[in-house]
Amino acid sequence: MDNYDFKGKKALVRVDFNVPLDENGNITDDTRIRGALPTLKKILNDGGSVIIMSHMGKPKGKVNPKLSLSQIKDAVAKALGTDVAFANDCMAADAMAADLKPGQALMLENLRFYPEEEGKPVGIDKEDPNYDAAKKEMKERQKEFSKKLASYGDVYVNDAFGTAHRRHASTAVVADYFGKDDKMLGYLMEKEVKAVDNILKDIKRPFTAIMGGSKVSTKIGIIENLMDKVDNLILCGGMTYTFAKAQGGKVGNSICENDKLDLALDIMKKAKEKGVNLILGTDCIAADAFDNNAHTMVCSAMDIPEGWEGLDAGPETRKAFAKAIEGSKTILWNGPAGVFEFDNFTGGSRAIADAVVKATKDGAFSLVGGGDSVACVNKFGLADEVSYVSTGGGALLEAIEGKVLPGVAAVQG
Ligand code: 3PG
Ligand code: MG
């Protein structure tokens, strides 16, 4: 980025503006927009123009007004300090792109309104005998889609770290249509990749990973991988109740993956074999409804009465989490400890955040990633007090698993 002069060039920039919106379409966390600003501003300041492209949500190849990027156009313009034109159809932006003058910005509608972006055949499942043929056909269409996007710009910049684990048209395939000197990673991408290196190349111990969120199933890969690296592994959030039930506990109405009980026991066994200190919630704040104003009580995570559900970590659990975190020198936090969207169930996540901040003050390197945990530290006003806040969720976890991210590989070759 630094060595490239964008003067007079049209830059096709893939960002990850998949930001959380409330029911009125207002952005509830703009970390990802702020993250992309250095790249966009550098191009505009050089005298180039930008064609900003992103996905939002999972519209599965269909137009869905609730996931229209037009909702965030004004916020992007405000953050950028310049007008942003909007192309309602990412495949029909030829004229608008051609008209761009130096210093001007254009944003394309949600790329995933076209199935070609993801490149997965629609309306046919993997068991279907025609699936392979459909997939092959879609891959061809994806190339055409990518070629069209590429035609809008002279140079391609990938700054979408949050989507770098996807081999999609705009994150990877499009790079094939630019010469090697006309494609690059943006500043945010460079910074994120460096933060991951920081964690992986020079681990200061003890290393504590805190994994939250509702399901064990979506985190199993990273949990298994982290077990070879960490000293302490805190598993919290909704996962707590799958582990509790697996050990014979009663979890009432709590979220629980009944088909993952063996997996939970296996994780416990592996942690023991590898000498990892696995810390699970022992008590919880149970509620009589999934509601911020529900009645609550503190109870054992193993003994939740019928009709009640665990929505946050209990006081004993918070102490155990804080103790492990405060003594750490490297910390990775992904996923909240409770339903933090409800103000009355933020306590567990708050205890984690406070401990992470304290450890950071004592010299630890702390990395917070994943939409929900980032929203959490922002809600607490603590984002500036941890070492690094990543815009990546799945991408960050895959990078930490040691996988090469397709979005990075496509540009770097
Ligand atoms: C995310 O928020 O996880 C990224 O924007 C990628 O989106 P995806 O998980 O729907 O591919
Ligand atoms: Mg995701």
Side-chain angles (χ1 to χ4, degrees):
M1 280 293 292
D2 275 332
N3 299 328
Y4 197 92
D5 186 3
F6 288 91
K7 189 167 193 282
K9 304 262 188 193
K10 292 185 167 68
L12 182 68
V13 187
R14 176 50 153 110
V15 294
D16 186 339
F17 284 174
N18 181 26
V19 291
L21 303 178
D22 67 15
E23 56 282 8
N24 301 316
N26 297 312
I27 298 167
T28 52
D29 189 281
D30 68 349
T31 307
R32 286 179 166 178
I33 295 176
R34 285 186 282 112
L37 292 178
T39 292
L40 298 172
K41 284 186 171 168
K42 143 87 175 161
I43 297 166
L44 297 174
N45 289 340
D46 270 5
S49 53
V50 288
I51 298 134
I52 302 166
M53 56 176 181
S54 178
H55 76 284
M56 176 175 274
K58 299 180 192 284
K60 302 216 160 87
K62 284 202 201 77
V63 175
N64 176 348
K66 286 213 172 77
L67 298 173
S68 172
L69 285 170
S70 61
Q71 301 170 94
I72 68 162
K73 184 199 82 139
D74 291 341
V76 173
K78 195 165 165 219
L80 210 50
T82 185
D83 283 349
V84 175
F86 191 76
N88 287 315
D89 178 349
C90 71
M91 283 291 100
D94 313 58
M96 290 181 94
D99 276 352
L100 283 172
K101 306 279 175 305
Q104 290 184 340
L106 167 67
M107 189 153 88
L108 306 183
E109 180 57 290
N110 193 343
L111 300 164
R112 289 193 190 169
F113 284 179
Y114 282 87
E116 286 85 350
E117 165 64 1
E118 294 183 75
K120 271 191 266 166
V122 262
I124 179 163
D125 55 49
K126 285 199 171 120
E127 282 69 48
D128 195 303
N130 297 320
Y131 181 83
D132 285 346
K135 188 170 165 190
K136 203 165 159 229
E137 194 230 296
M138 180 51 83
K139 289 288 164 203
E140 284 311 308
R141 278 166 56 186
Q142 186 179 48
K143 281 184 198 158
E144 291 309 309
F145 178 87
S146 305
K147 212 191 248 179
K148 175 86 179 189
L149 291 175
S151 73
Y152 301 150
D154 306 307
V155 44
Y156 169 68
V157 181
N158 190 352
D159 213 17
F161 179 73
T163 326
H165 58 317
R166 308 286 182 218
R167 188 187 296 284
H168 290 170
S170 66
T171 60
V173 183
V174 71
D176 290 347
Y177 302 97
F178 292 87
K180 78 174 189 347
D181 295 330
D182 292 319
K183 52 185 165 192
M184 67 203 78
L185 300 181
Y187 288 132
L188 176 62
M189 192 78 122
E190 282 179 357
K191 209 167 85 174
E192 298 268 14
V193 168
K194 220 170 109 204
V196 171
D197 275 357
N198 234 326
I199 285 252
L200 292 185
K201 292 233 172 84
D202 180 24
I203 300 175
K204 305 240 176 4
R205 297 193 176 276
F207 180 4
T208 299
I210 308 143
M211 306 296 293
S214 50
K215 292 179 178 165
V216 188
S217 53
T218 58
K219 301 259 160 123
I220 183 66
I222 180 79
I223 289 172
E224 289 192 329
N225 185 281
L226 282 171
M227 262 193 296
D228 292 323
K229 299 191 172 77
V230 299
D231 304 291
N232 301 309
L233 179 61
I234 294 175
L235 297 180
C236 57
M239 277 189 267
T240 307
Y241 311 102
T242 302
F243 280 91
K245 185 145 182 201
Q247 297 172 79
K250 295 199 198 83
V251 299
N253 287 347
S254 306
I255 185 169
C256 179
E257 288 179 283
N258 286 313
D259 58 338
K260 294 292 179 294
L261 303 180
D262 288 342
L263 186 67
L265 292 177
D266 191 50
I267 289 172
M268 296 179 75
K269 187 168 147 248
K270 279 199 183 127
K272 204 172 219 167
E273 283 164 9
K274 291 179 193 267
V276 171
N277 178 27
L278 177 64
I279 308 168
L280 294 164
T282 52
D283 62 350
C284 70
I285 310 289
D288 63 354
F290 188 78
D291 189 305
N292 187 43
N293 299 315
H295 297 109
T296 63
M297 65 171 166
V298 174
C299 66
S300 161
M302 297 281 283
D303 198 9
I304 301 172
E306 267 320 306
W308 292 68
E309 56 191 302
L311 294 188
D312 197 5
E316 192 184 282
T317 299
R318 294 177 200 180
K319 258 189 227 149
F321 288 176
K323 189 169 162 238
I325 296 165
E326 284 172 15
S328 304
K329 286 285 167 260
T330 303
I331 302 164
L332 169 69
W333 182 18
N334 173 273
V339 186
F340 80 100
E341 300 90 328
F342 294 158
D343 288 342
N344 293 334
F345 299 96
T346 54
S349 302
R350 178 80 212 204
I352 291 175
D354 286 341
V356 172
V357 167
K358 185 156 186 276
T360 310
K361 285 205 178 93
D362 291 342
F365 180 82
S366 54
L367 197 163
V368 181
D372 287 341
S373 14
V374 173
C376 223
V377 289
N378 284 336
K379 181 164 180 158
F380 303 145
L382 295 173
D384 291 336
E385 297 187 51
V386 302
S387 308
Y388 190 75
V389 175
S390 174
T391 59
L396 174 73
L397 297 182
E398 289 197 16
I400 287 177
E401 279 180 59
K403 291 189 186 152
V404 178
L405 300 176
V408 175
V411 165
Q412 292 185 332

